[in-house]
Amino acid sequence: MQNTDYQIAVIEDDPMQRETLVTALQHQGFKVVDFADRRSAEMHFDKNLPDLVISDIILGQEMDGGFDLAKHLLSYNQPIPIIFLSERQSEFDIYTGHALGAIDYLPKPISLNVLIVKVKNLLRITSSSKEHGNQHQDKSVIDGLEIESNQYKAYWHKKPLDLTATEFEMLKQFATAGEGSVVTYDSLQASTQGVVERNTINTHICRIRNAFKKITPDFNLIHNEYGRGYSWQQKDKP
């Protein structure tokens, strides 16, 4: 699909920042609708849902306006990916954002180049899943690990994991393969539609491990299989 096939909603109360975001996205060919507050965005969404939402958390006098917007989006049957942009970088805020369905959470001041890359990667992954129509067929066979492919969310012992969309797709390979199975480098790269390069897979695996460690500090279940890939297994198993 071309960028012109996607509509992105930008919710930002600062007019200069909003204009900068809108201009950068439009230069990439995206259709963009923008709003200065939560209520006007929600009124628009009731008539026309975008493919992706980019929102600040503090919207005018609403300190958690972005979070409230995310709750509103959860009321629709169609999952809408969200990228939060915020100066608030506490662990609690990031955790809350992901728990409400955010696929990414970027600190301000943002890098427009990084944002554009993340937007393109995210839309590439979500559109691919829709085209294959298999997001509802995936189910984790690993105890304690749940995945919701239509929301790009994963849960470890009922607690949400802080993962990007690409990292979710990589983790899903372990979840569906099961304990003891080797997930090859090629499979991990293919699962992200080629977004993740072979030489950066280890970095993403480290981030995935760290996401688990935030919930289970002694987590040690993803192991390197030299020359082949990675496997999910107990520490005391060969």
Side-chain angles (χ1 to χ4, degrees):
M1 297 179 72
Q2 301 296 317
N3 290 353
T4 52
D5 295 324
Y6 297 107
Q7 183 183 90
I8 299 174
V10 173
I11 303 89
E12 168 61 67
D13 61 336
D14 184 292
M16 291 186 64
Q17 293 186 39
R18 187 170 68 254
E19 182 180 0
T20 298
L21 291 169
V22 170
T23 300
L25 291 165
Q26 288 177 336
H27 281 171
Q28 295 297 318
F30 293 110
K31 299 175 184 176
V32 184
V33 290
D34 62 286
F35 310 94
D37 60 86
R38 174 179 62 84
R39 293 187 182 278
S40 58
E42 290 178 353
M43 290 177 62
H44 177 83
F45 295 161
D46 287 340
K47 300 176 182 178
N48 184 17
L49 284 174
D51 297 292
L52 172 69
V53 170
I54 299 174
S55 178
D56 194 355
I57 292 176
I58 302 174
L59 297 173
Q61 299 301 312
E62 297 184 308
M63 295 302 294
D64 292 332
F67 289 157
D68 291 336
L69 178 67
K71 293 176 184 177
H72 182 81
L73 286 170
L74 290 174
S75 67
Y76 298 104
N77 292 327
Q78 177 183 343
I80 307 297
I82 308 169
I83 296 177
F84 279 128
L85 311 177
S86 182
E87 296 174 351
R88 290 163 51 174
Q89 289 297 300
S90 73
E91 183 175 349
F92 175 79
D93 285 326
I94 296 174
Y95 177 91
T96 300
H98 283 285
L100 289 172
I103 288 181
D104 221 328
Y105 192 116
L106 301 180
K108 285 186 175 183
I110 66 167
S111 162
L112 288 176
N113 289 333
V114 170
L115 176 63
I116 293 299
V117 169
K118 285 182 176 289
V119 166
K120 289 181 176 180
N121 289 351
L122 176 56
L123 290 173
R124 186 187 311 174
I125 291 172
T126 55
S127 64
S128 176
S129 294
K130 291 177 182 177
E131 289 169 3
H132 285 86
N134 62 358
Q135 60 263 50
H136 297 290
Q137 300 175 13
D138 299 315
K139 183 177 180 180
S140 173
V141 296
I142 293 176
D143 289 341
L145 178 62
E146 300 174 48
I147 58 174
E148 294 183 2
S149 294
N150 61 335
Q151 294 283 353
Y152 293 89
K153 302 298 294 181
Y155 300 85
W156 180 235
H157 298 303
K158 306 298 183 181
K159 295 183 179 180
L161 290 160
D162 178 7
L163 301 170
T164 64
T166 51
E167 289 156 3
F168 170 83
E169 290 292 340
M170 294 172 73
L171 176 61
K172 188 166 71 174
Q173 304 309 301
F174 295 97
T176 56
E179 186 172 347
S181 299
V182 175
V183 179
T184 66
Y185 293 113
D186 288 342
S187 294
L188 290 169
Q189 188 172 6
S191 70
T192 67
Q193 308 302 313
V195 170
V196 173
E197 298 293 338
R198 172 67 179 268
N199 61 353
T200 64
I201 287 177
N202 183 61
T203 299
H204 289 281
I205 291 295
C206 286
R207 272 191 45 82
I208 292 172
R209 287 181 178 135
N210 288 335
F212 279 96
K213 288 180 179 179
K214 289 181 180 179
I215 300 172
T216 307
D218 60 349
F219 177 85
N220 185 26
L221 297 176
I222 299 178
H223 299 269
N224 182 268
E225 301 293 339
Y226 185 75
R228 295 191 294 165
Y230 296 85
S231 66
W232 179 293
Q233 57 182 309
Q234 300 294 329
K235 292 184 290 184
D236 57 348
K237 293 186 178 182

